[in-house]
Amino acid sequence: MNNIIHLLPDHIANQIAAGEVIQRPASAVKELLENAVDAGATTIKLLVNDAGKALIQVIDNGKGMSADDAKMAFERHATSKISQIEDLFRIKTMGFRGEALASIAAVAQVELKTRRAEDELGSLVEVAHSKIIQQEACVAPVGTSISMKNLFFNIPARRNFLKSNAAEMRHIMDEFIRVAMAYPEIFFSLNSNGQEVYHLEAGTRKQRIVQILGNSYNAKLVNVLEETDYMTISGFVGKPETARKTRGDQYFFVNNRFIKSAYLNHAVNAAFEGMIAKDSFPSYVLYIALDPTQVDINVHPTKQEIKFEDEKIIYAFVQAAVKHALAQFSIAPSLDFSLNADIQGLDAVSKPFTAHQQEAAVSSSLYKTFSQKHQAHFIEPTPKSELKSWKDFFKPSADSSGTIAGLSDANTLEEQYTGGRLLQIPQVQHYLQVQQSYIIATTATGFLLVHQQLAHERILYEQYSQAVHNKQAPTQKSLFPIPLELAESDKVLLQELLPDLHLIGYQIEEDEQHQYVIQGTPADVSTGNEKHAIDMLIEQFKHFNSDVNFSKKEKLIRCMAKQQATKTGTQLELKEMAALVTALFECNTPNISPTGNPTYIEYKGNYLEQLFKR
Ligand code: ADP
Ligand code: MG
């Protein structure tokens, strides 16, 4: 007997295979919830004890199983969801591998009770060690109740590997939330050790999201909706103020399946650029729906990663949809929500096809959404012709002399365009200040209502950023050196800030007695106010320090912008208003203040008409 290869006993093979699907209680929760969804349930209850280690039970009112199916369900590769290989490419259900129940049966003691509406009696099946140990007819409500006890009871090594109850419960709640968010039309509840943790009535998506993420989101969700023949994206993004220090409330669903995609996450972040701090994370719940043939959900056993046929187009689409939504929310004139210039260089968009491919591509509905005017994602074929159409926005009006620097000059315009900025800059005709807080700037088509303080914060924020990141800002020399009397702890703080303060335009030096002395300030700090400005800055910086996770530079810039901005309640001269509005529109992101509020609102002719219901 020299042969050394032998077949593994079934129960060991099953346990090994089960390891792929069921890593922890939360994996079983996910599979059982998905089965209930696939069964068409409208009510799904999840009960767990000891974070699922002692018991996981899912009760649904779905279509149930026949007595034979109830037994079959525990066989490996037993599924009712696909029957031929082609089915794999048009999956509409959550499950399809036929592995979940087999895996669960290999690692826990399972009891299944199920009844179909057409059967008078239901069936009860008990399974342990992958073997059916009992089956009998029983009285049962329509639907399925499946409970699994003592997960990994037969594999102590795995059981020991489980984390604390708190950690495993967190995983369970994550899976529960992901399924519940995808199916707001289904009632879900989660009960842990006899206590109800979630009770989610059926409702709209928005209601479901608010139920899960908390009421504070109610007024802070911006609707996202873009539809094309190829795909639809819908859902919500949080207003900039809901951005978090930690990657928290970010959810992507593709055909109602929760997925993790760093790539698509990047697309959303890119859409928020300039509206939230660089190191914070926007919140979003986005649902992508597309033809199942365009995605491969088969690449990962637990199906959280998927492959798209054409990832780059999905990226562009997601980014454009979010930008569009944000632009609408801020009621700003068209933010640049056309596709990123990079997209035009993509193989998918620019590579020459074979004639045959080209023909097929051009007639596809996807292509049309990007290539036909008046479609949301229209891309002009070449940058040159795009420039031509955008130029129309910049036609100098009669009295625009110098209102907005450089814009009547076609060359400058071209440079500006290629610099990637694509903003509609209004030609202002008159200015008027209201309540010493707002500026009304009339344009050819209506008027802008500008918030003077928020607008000024945006302007200063960009100026300071530029100074800190690129070049030295001008300093105005103080006539007399101004000594700063600082507490020791504040001195330490100031010392850390000195290099950046210097870039912004401050000149602060240490004298022989180790006291700091102001020798010069940025041009916009008024005389007499220098010492106070630094005191305030240190105070604000300390305050900011504790609640927002910005980099030191970013914090400094934000404090400075807030502090130096012309406050509401300040009377402005005509000249000052003009300078402010002009400078605002020279900003990269004129429509949003550094804290995420709108800086101005545009009222256009037809909107005004509507207000008067004409
Ligand atoms: P899959 O979901 O991949 O088909 P599973 O092992 O999860 O594989 O389930 C096997 C089969 O058992 C399913 O295809 C389905 O027919 C049946 N089944 C499982 N759970 C339920 C349920 N809650 N209600 C009705 N049928 C179910
Ligand atoms: Mg399943």
Side-chain angles (χ1 to χ4, degrees), residues 452-454 456-457 460 560-567:
Q452 70 188 41
Q453 181 176 338
L454 293 173
H456 201 200
E457 281 180 24
L460 293 175
M560 281 290 291
K562 203 173 170 71
Q563 188 196 50
Q564 293 303 322
T566 304
K567 302 294 179 297

Side-chain angles (χ1 to χ4, degrees), residues 32-185:
L32 296 180
L33 291 177
E34 289 184 352
N35 279 348
V37 169
D38 285 344
T42 56
T43 299
I44 301 177
K45 295 177 185 156
L46 167 64
L47 293 86
V48 298
N49 284 345
D50 281 353
K53 294 172 188 173
L55 170 79
I56 298 172
Q57 182 173 18
V58 172
I59 306 168
D60 70 53
N61 66 348
K63 65 179 181 222
M65 284 175 261
S66 70
D68 284 343
D69 283 349
K71 273 191 300 187
M72 259 302 270
F74 293 101
E75 296 288 330
R76 191 156 295 281
H77 308 304
T79 179
S80 54
K81 299 167 194 174
I82 59 173
S83 50
Q84 48 195 34
I85 193 70
E86 289 74 28
D87 293 343
L88 261 185
F89 301 104
R90 41 177 183 255
I91 299 280
K92 290 226 167 76
T93 50
M94 301 296 282
F96 57 87
R97 294 164 166 260
E99 282 179 324
L101 291 189
S103 300
I104 287 169
V107 295
Q109 297 155 335
V110 182
E111 192 185 286
L112 167 73
K113 212 183 217 186
T114 185
R115 180 165 77 89
R116 300 183 299 179
E118 62 263 45
D119 299 333
E120 206 161 305
L121 278 180
S123 343
L124 175 71
V125 179
E126 278 178 54
V127 189
H129 298 286
S130 297
K131 293 230 163 54
I132 293 187
I133 50 180
Q134 186 176 350
Q135 173 163 31
E136 61 189 29
C138 70
V139 176
V142 172
T144 301
S145 161
I146 180 160
S147 65
M148 44 182 290
K149 291 185 189 146
N150 305 321
L151 179 60
F152 299 139
F153 75 103
N154 49 355
I155 321 174
R158 292 202 74 117
R159 195 165 169 95
N160 293 337
F161 194 68
L162 293 178
K163 301 252 165 59
S164 69
N165 278 7
E168 294 299 344
M169 195 59 207
R170 188 64 245 166
H171 286 294
I172 288 178
M173 283 165 52
D174 283 347
E175 294 295 355
F176 175 85
I177 285 172
R178 290 163 185 175
V179 178
M181 270 198 184
Y183 295 94
E185 67 279 14

Side-chain angles (χ1 to χ4, degrees), residues 335-469:
L335 245 186
D336 169 16
F337 58 80
S338 66
L339 288 172
N340 184 315
D342 299 350
I343 297 296
Q344 303 184 25
L346 292 178
D347 288 1
V349 179
S350 69
K351 264 258 174 77
F353 298 121
T354 62
H356 175 70
Q357 277 177 321
Q358 202 159 16
E359 204 170 293
V362 168
S363 57
S364 76
S365 55
L366 172 64
Y367 182 86
K368 285 178 190 149
T369 65
F370 286 93
S371 59
Q372 282 181 357
K373 269 204 162 58
H374 312 303
Q375 291 275 357
H377 310 291
F378 171 59
I379 310 174
E380 285 274 359
T382 67
K384 259 264 155 332
S385 62
E386 186 165 3
L387 179 64
K388 191 167 143 270
S389 60
W390 278 94
K391 249 183 193 164
D392 302 340
F393 287 112
F394 300 98
K395 275 202 193 108
S397 69
D399 61 347
S400 71
S401 46
T403 325
I404 294 155
L407 275 180
S408 44
D409 180 339
N411 285 330
T412 321
L413 178 59
E414 205 145 352
E415 277 157 26
Q416 232 168 350
Y417 168 68
T418 43
R421 281 186 49 207
L422 214 60
L423 274 163
Q424 192 176 335
I425 301 178
Q427 299 292 326
V428 173
Q429 293 158 340
H430 296 289
Y431 296 98
L432 180 70
Q433 195 186 22
V434 182
Q435 289 191 315
Q436 301 183 329
S437 302
Y438 308 97
I439 301 167
I440 290 183
T442 59
T443 63
T445 50
F447 65 91
L448 306 175
L449 183 62
V450 182
H451 192 287
Q452 70 188 41
Q453 181 176 338
L454 293 173
H456 201 200
E457 281 180 24
R458 162 54 64 186
I459 296 166
L460 293 175
Y461 173 80
E462 293 202 5
Q463 279 174 5
Y464 293 138
S465 306
Q466 223 194 351
V468 168
H469 295 295

